[in-house]
Amino acid sequence: MEELSYYEILEVTRDADKTTIKKAYRKLAKQYHPDKNPNDPEAEHKFKLCNEAYQCLSDDQQRSIYDRYGKEGLQGGAGRSSGGFDDLSSMFEEMFSGFAGGGRRRQNPADMDKYPLDMNVDMRISFNEAIFGCEKEVEFTYKKSCNDCKGTGAKDGKLSTCKQCGGQGQVYMKQGFMTFSQTCPACQGTGSAATDKCNSCRGAGYEEVKESVSIKIPKGIDTGNRLRVSGRGNIGKRGTRGDLYVTFEVTPDKHFIRDENDVYIEIPVFFTQAITGATLTIPSLRGELELKLDVGTKDKQRFTFRGEGIDDVHGHGRGDLIAQIDITYPKKLSDEQLDLLEKLQDSFGIESKPHESVLDSAIEKMKGWFK
Ligand SMILES: [Zn+2]
Ligand SMILES: [Zn+2]
């Protein structure tokens, strides 16, 4: 039986953003939750798989490892409690150096890059830029392996055996009867150290280069969404360039409140208009809309305008605009207004005194208590 990918388990596409993944996970976790499916081993298994998939895909670092190397790249890491990136990367080194990987190509530590090739920049955009899409210039700084020392950080690329670990790349620590090994902090596990520091990069092995790139932001983008700009990341020792990821943060709007692809707006309505069922002109994302109130519209009542919301970032249609009514009352009344309102009250007769029916029936009931 072929194993499902994490994307298939959560029933999302490979380019799904965080919000979509979270939504899919919530739905499935609810569906397969053991509380809802007592004594159902299949549901329990699916519930576990969903958790595993979500744990990986909701974490940017783990997800990029999974995308590149599959589940194998995460093995051992996914089950570890801390699961931080440092853990994962050191586990990776183990795998590639052939101790645990079994059959994997052993990579010379000297060839390994000192930094990940993919990189991320955060970008803040305004509410309307997110709704309608825009073009933006992203300024960022990437790392480029130093030419003079071939990324080693050593003058003329000359390396000698690391003194701290004797070239092992590992140092050992004793704690009680246990011995722990740890990546050598002096050489970061490469086993070699610079005889002299490279003058160009001062021993760092890379230089930092400023760059800017123009990106097209699709309409409907939301906070936490990520765009990949292919081939604009860090440059490694062998000239391979990683990808640049731009993660967005959308500044909220004063009037429109976003919920996924729907947008809410609160409309203050004077009490007389709510009673008469007036027709109002209200703002929408793309101009104005006509809102026809019901006669006797209630406070917090909602009116939905289908398809007047936000375009789905993946092109799956458009959300709704929901107007929520906030009824306002006069703070004080003039003598004339009071007079008019009292006349209005009288004109309704018994309908204007609904509390009396409660009063009457309660009194009737209480009479029975004392009989
Ligand atoms: Zn250098
Ligand atoms: Zn060392």
Side-chain angles (χ1 to χ4, degrees), residues 223-269:
T223 294
N225 286 167
R226 210 168 63 141
L227 267 188
R228 187 169 67 112
V229 190
S230 175
R232 294 289 187 140
N234 295 320
I235 301 178
K237 280 180 182 170
R238 275 153 297 167
T240 319
R241 191 157 186 192
D243 297 332
L244 170 72
Y245 287 89
V246 185
T247 307
F248 294 94
E249 180 163 351
V250 180
T251 310
D253 185 74
K254 246 176 40 198
H255 299 291
F256 294 108
I257 295 163
R258 181 171 184 169
D259 178 30
E260 313 255 315
N261 293 333
D262 294 336
V263 68
Y264 287 78
I265 186 166
E266 190 175 55
I267 306 291
V269 172

Side-chain angles (χ1 to χ4, degrees), residues 120-184:
N120 180 74
V121 289
D122 293 324
M123 182 174 229
R124 183 176 269 275
I125 57 173
S126 72
F127 183 77
N128 64 306
E129 284 171 332
I131 303 302
F132 298 111
C134 58
E135 233 175 278
K136 280 268 174 187
E137 202 71 11
V138 190
E139 286 176 13
F140 60 101
T141 304
Y142 67 89
K143 293 185 172 76
K144 181 179 179 295
S145 184
C146 174
N147 274 334
D148 292 346
C149 62
K150 309 244 171 334
T152 58
K155 193 175 181 183
D156 306 319
K158 261 187 205 149
L159 295 170
S160 50
T161 305
C162 172
K163 288 192 182 76
Q164 186 130 356
C165 62
Q168 294 289 305
Q170 299 271 315
V171 285
Y172 298 92
M173 292 183 313
K174 253 187 137 77
Q175 202 177 323
F177 59 89
M178 296 283 284
T179 305
F180 297 95
S181 72
Q182 190 188 35
T183 304
C184 172

Side-chain angles (χ1 to χ4, degrees), residues 48-235:
K48 273 184 192 154
L49 283 178
C50 288
N51 279 327
E52 192 189 318
Y54 181 66
Q55 216 170 49
C56 166
L57 297 186
S58 61
D59 182 284
D60 287 348
Q61 302 283 18
Q62 289 203 37
R63 185 177 176 179
S64 83
I65 291 169
Y66 178 75
D67 284 347
R68 278 163 184 248
Y69 305 106
K71 211 167 161 180
E72 246 188 308
L74 297 165
Q75 219 99 67
R80 281 184 199 176
S81 54
S82 65
F85 183 61
D86 287 339
D87 272 10
L88 280 171
S89 68
S90 63
M91 182 207 55
F92 241 156
E93 285 162 23
E94 279 168 29
M95 287 200 43
F96 280 118
S97 52
F99 296 123
R104 280 222 179 232
R105 171 175 64 95
R106 186 189 165 105
Q107 192 179 14
N108 182 352
D111 284 343
M112 288 191 327
D113 289 305
K114 295 187 174 186
Y115 43 85
L117 298 188
D118 289 343
M119 57 176 283
N120 180 74
V121 289
D122 293 324
M123 182 174 229
R124 183 176 269 275
I125 57 173
S126 72
F127 183 77
N128 64 306
E129 284 171 332
I131 303 302
F132 298 111
C134 58
E135 233 175 278
K136 280 268 174 187
E137 202 71 11
V138 190
E139 286 176 13
F140 60 101
T141 304
Y142 67 89
K143 293 185 172 76
K144 181 179 179 295
S145 184
C146 174
N147 274 334
D148 292 346
C149 62
K150 309 244 171 334
T152 58
K155 193 175 181 183
D156 306 319
K158 261 187 205 149
L159 295 170
S160 50
T161 305
C162 172
K163 288 192 182 76
Q164 186 130 356
C165 62
Q168 294 289 305
Q170 299 271 315
V171 285
Y172 298 92
M173 292 183 313
K174 253 187 137 77
Q175 202 177 323
F177 59 89
M178 296 283 284
T179 305
F180 297 95
S181 72
Q182 190 188 35
T183 304
C184 172
C187 63
Q188 278 96 44
T190 59
S192 48
T195 314
D196 291 301
K197 278 183 180 175
C198 166
N199 287 330
S200 313
C201 62
R202 294 199 186 88
Y206 60 85
E207 51 183 322
E208 291 197 303
V209 189
K210 277 199 163 98
E211 193 177 32
S212 77
V213 61
S214 173
I215 56 166
K216 214 170 141 23
I217 300 171
K219 50 189 174 182
I221 208 121
D222 203 356
T223 294
N225 286 167
R226 210 168 63 141
L227 267 188
R228 187 169 67 112
V229 190
S230 175
R232 294 289 187 140
N234 295 320
I235 301 178

